[in-house]
Amino acid sequence: MVTVNILLSTFNGERYLSEQIDSIINQTYSNWKLLIRDDGSTDNTISIINDYLGKDNRIEFINPLQVENVGVHKSFKYLASYQKADYYFFCDQDDYWMPQKIEKMIGNVGEFDSNIPQLWYSDFSSTDENLKVIRQKLRNPNGNFINPPLKDALVCNVVTGCTAMINNALKELWLTDKEIVGYHDTFCGLLAVTFGKVHFLDEVLILYRQHSNNVAGIVSKKVKGVLTTFWNLNHTSTQRATTILKEYDQLLTDSQRRTLSDFVGLSTNNVFSRLKAVINYQYLYSLGDWKYTLFMRILLIIRIGE
């Protein structure tokens, strides 16, 4: 039976943490280890963690003597480097896993070269604070979603970390990078698209809870909010692309290097060069229809609201 490490970084998560851990304990797949690192909680989160240590020996608190805030991305890096496994699941402190999440993700692996960095992720439903479903199947509501190639992954991330599983090859590739750029899940997703493979499981396997304290949530629909979110994500994606060009250059093909460089150039080149790049690459917004794609292309060219 393959080994699974579930990586859970907590921070002031007392309100929903027990529900999340209970949903993990109730998984149909049993050969897992839940590694928890607290990122400096000041509420009762650590007490809750300690209570669960006595309930299930598959749960381990990796930093009980050194609780400090290092940020989400770095905290997950500590968790990933703590212990080797065949697969690693990213886990939020406030969601709810469907009982067959691990079993179905592992069952979706199939045969592959374990030396190739790979990432699997599923669909999910957003809920209110009480886990009442607000939106079903956020990734594939219309049944026509496909994983984007590198050029489109740069302009629209599709991997939501709490739905993701990575293999050891991708973990090792991720840990070689010393910089901390954006969230851990989107960076791993970009690494997998660039150097390995990404697989989408078209099934809802978690309930993604929306509440006032979410680190990341559903994007605002107001124009100002949309522009702010778009440019924040775009700037972070530009940083990621720059990091990959710098830290992983020896692994890149000429085509990948050109795709990354041309995307980075969108933030510095003149409007005519940006227009040429957008026409050449025909960037697609993978999580929306043609109107989203058109709007995104216009923004990339004229940079309004940046």
Side-chain angles (χ1 to χ4, degrees):
M1 187 177 289
V2 299
T3 56
V4 168
N5 282 356
I6 302 167
L7 313 180
L8 172 57
S9 180
T10 59
F11 179 74
N12 290 342
E14 63 178 4
R15 187 172 179 185
Y16 305 113
L17 182 59
S18 292
E19 274 188 292
Q20 174 63 291
I21 296 178
D22 285 340
S23 75
I24 293 171
I25 291 174
N26 292 326
Q27 290 292 300
T28 56
Y29 187 92
S30 60
N31 193 33
W32 51 261
K33 184 84 173 180
L34 173 59
L35 302 177
I36 305 176
R37 182 190 178 279
D38 188 75
D39 202 34
S41 294
T42 56
D43 62 0
N44 292 318
T45 295
I46 292 177
S47 295
I48 294 172
I49 295 170
N50 287 327
D51 286 342
Y52 276 95
L53 296 181
K55 295 179 181 179
D56 196 311
N57 60 14
R58 295 173 294 179
I59 301 174
E60 184 173 354
F61 186 18
I62 75 166
N63 67 322
L65 302 180
Q66 192 176 6
V67 176
E68 61 176 338
N69 184 269
V70 298
V72 175
H73 192 149
K74 194 171 184 178
S75 186
F76 272 98
K77 277 196 166 184
Y78 282 142
L79 285 160
S81 63
Y82 182 76
Q83 186 180 78
K84 185 177 180 179
D86 295 313
Y87 301 101
Y88 306 82
F89 283 75
F90 295 134
C91 180
D92 288 351
Q93 65 185 5
D94 48 9
D95 297 326
Y96 180 89
W97 286 18
M98 308 305 280
Q100 291 183 300
K101 172 180 166 66
I102 299 177
E103 180 182 353
K104 290 193 173 185
M105 294 290 282
I106 295 295
N108 194 54
V109 168
E111 295 185 6
F112 70 94
D113 185 346
S114 61
N115 294 315
I116 298 176
Q118 303 205 43
L119 180 149
W120 296 259
Y121 69 108
S122 73
D123 212 330
F124 61 102
S125 295
S126 64
T127 75
D128 63 15
E129 296 183 355
N130 299 311
L131 295 180
K132 181 180 179 181
V133 174
I134 300 171
R135 292 176 59 193
Q136 290 275 10
K137 294 179 71 66
L138 271 78
R139 279 296 168 264
N140 195 23
N142 301 316
N144 55 7
F145 173 79
I146 58 173
N147 280 316
L150 175 58
K151 72 177 183 69
D152 297 330
L154 288 166
V155 295
C156 179
N157 167 66
V158 299
V159 175
T160 301
C162 53
T163 73
M165 174 183 81
I166 64 175
N167 67 350
N168 194 65
L170 180 54
K171 183 208 77 170
E172 294 297 333
L173 187 67
W174 169 39
L175 294 183
T176 61
D177 174 47
K178 300 299 185 291
E179 295 189 38
I180 302 295
V181 181
Y183 290 126
H184 56 289
D185 51 350
T186 48
F187 192 72
C188 283
L190 191 57
L191 288 176
V193 170
T194 307
F195 301 111
K197 295 182 179 179
V198 177
H199 311 271
F200 175 63
L201 179 56
D202 189 13
E203 185 170 350
V204 172
L205 294 180
I206 82 156
L207 300 180
Y208 182 77
R209 195 191 310 257
Q210 294 292 289
H211 56 88
S212 59
N213 295 323
N214 278 64
V215 172
I218 305 300
V219 176
S220 168
K221 292 185 178 181
K222 295 182 179 179
V223 173
K224 184 177 180 180
V226 168
L227 288 175
T228 299
T229 300
F230 175 83
W231 287 120
N232 285 343
L233 294 174
N234 181 267
H235 294 157
T236 302
S237 188
T238 300
Q239 288 180 285
R240 290 193 197 102
T242 302
T243 297
I244 290 175
L245 285 166
K246 175 184 175 183
E247 301 293 335
Y248 300 91
D249 179 70
Q250 71 280 7
L251 301 177
L252 293 168
T253 65
D254 290 341
S255 176
Q256 291 168 337
R257 191 176 293 108
R258 184 166 55 253
T259 298
L260 291 162
S261 297
D262 287 347
F263 174 74
V264 171
L266 289 172
S267 64
T268 57
N269 292 339
N270 62 47
V271 64
F272 299 106
S273 296
R274 297 197 298 268
L275 175 61
K276 181 180 178 180
V278 170
I279 292 174
N280 181 43
Y281 284 98
Q282 293 291 299
Y283 295 111
L284 293 176
Y285 189 83
S286 302
L287 298 180
D289 58 20
W290 66 270
K291 294 188 293 293
Y292 286 85
T293 290
L294 178 60
F295 183 56
M296 175 199 67
R297 291 176 181 176
I298 292 172
L299 288 178
L300 291 176
I301 295 168
I302 66 176
R303 314 295 290 190
I304 190 172
E306 188 174 6

